[in-house]
Amino acid sequence: QVQLVESGGGLVQPGGSLRLSCAASGSIVSIYVMGWYRQAPGKQRQLVATITTGGMINYGDSMKGRFTISRDNAKNTVYLQMNSLKPEDTAVYYCKADRVRNSFSSNEYVYWGQGTQVTVSS
């Protein structure tokens, strides 16, 4: 079993910054892709950014520039630095681990974190 634990969310004023972290734990052999998605009330979940073990990064529409994703492969941890936050960035941010290999199977799995709330408001 693999668990993803997110941290770093909270309330921030417009123009402020937050750094989210997501640590994966369990019987992990490798995680090819780690990333962040967000879901605002009444809206569909959308891609924020993903990063592979090799450092290949993909940002969702309108995310590049203010958001920066990074990863520590040795710690199975992914980060999201969010700057110049706007009220429309308010959402629950979810961590995702894709193409996860564990020590019990040759299959690959997908895992989601529980989500962390980010609220941008004055």
Side-chain angles (χ1 to χ4, degrees):
Q1 186 71 7
V2 173
Q3 291 185 328
L4 303 180
V5 178
E6 300 123 328
S7 60
L11 174 64
V12 63
Q13 292 187 342
S17 298
L18 282 176
R19 188 188 192 216
L20 305 183
S21 299
C22 171
S25 62
S27 301
I28 299 168
V29 172
S30 63
I31 305 175
Y32 182 59
V33 185
M34 297 189 79
W36 293 95
Y37 293 74
R38 71 183 187 185
Q39 188 166 19
K43 295 187 176 181
Q44 289 187 330
R45 192 171 295 188
Q46 64 176 156
L47 168 69
V48 177
T50 59
I51 183 169
T52 68
T53 48
M56 186 177 302
I57 293 173
N58 180 41
Y59 287 102
D61 293 341
S62 76
M63 305 297 176
K64 195 172 183 179
R66 296 187 298 120
F67 294 177
T68 302
I69 191 170
S70 61
R71 177 174 176 172
D72 186 331
N73 291 327
K75 296 181 179 179
N76 289 321
T77 299
V78 63
Y79 307 95
L80 184 69
Q81 178 67 42
M82 304 186 293
N83 299 327
S84 302
L85 284 163
K86 305 175 182 180
E88 50 264 42
D89 294 317
T90 296
V92 178
Y93 284 70
Y94 295 92
C95 176
K96 181 183 180 184
D98 205 345
R99 295 184 61 183
V100 180
R101 289 191 165 186
N102 62 39
S103 55
F104 305 111
S105 171
S106 60
N107 295 330
E108 294 181 332
Y109 299 92
V110 177
Y111 296 94
W112 288 90
Q114 296 281 351
T116 184
Q117 177 71 46
V118 171
T119 302
V120 185
S121 174
S122 55

